[in-house]
Amino acid sequence: MTATQVPTAPRRRSGLIRGALTGAAVSGVLFLACWLGTGIAGLSVTHAFISLFTAEPVTSQAALAEGGLWAVVFGAFVGALVAFFHGLFAGRR
């Protein structure tokens, strides 16, 4: 039986990209859900998540645009960090 070499660099890079895209998508959808929740009458929701990414009034379209953009950027950064450290510590017990 012969040994097979598995390329690690391209896989690690694709893991970082996939992690960044996943983080961006999750953060963007969560931000949108929170912003939509502010428009539902009678629903007592916190606006802290929206306020993390914008200083605009939480129910405004400016908050959706600016905060949504920064939520996606932040989510991509965090997702890439998680993927990086996951790859770094993979296989260590």
Side-chain angles (χ1 to χ4, degrees):
M1 192 165 178
T2 61
T4 304
Q5 290 185 347
V6 178
T8 56
R11 185 172 183 201
R12 175 175 249 175
R13 182 173 177 168
S14 68
L16 286 175
I17 293 170
R18 186 172 42 245
L21 291 173
T22 301
V26 168
S27 186
V29 169
L30 183 59
F31 186 89
L32 178 62
C34 289
W35 185 81
L36 289 172
T38 63
I40 298 174
L43 184 63
S44 176
V45 296
T46 180
H47 307 305
F49 189 74
I50 297 171
S51 298
L52 281 174
F53 302 106
T54 184
E56 299 292 331
V58 294
T59 57
S60 69
Q61 289 183 353
L64 176 62
E66 179 184 340
L69 173 68
W70 285 114
V72 167
V73 169
F74 179 74
F77 176 70
V78 170
L81 276 178
V82 169
F84 173 77
F85 283 106
H86 175 62
L88 186 67
F89 300 130
R92 296 186 183 190
R93 296 178 193 248

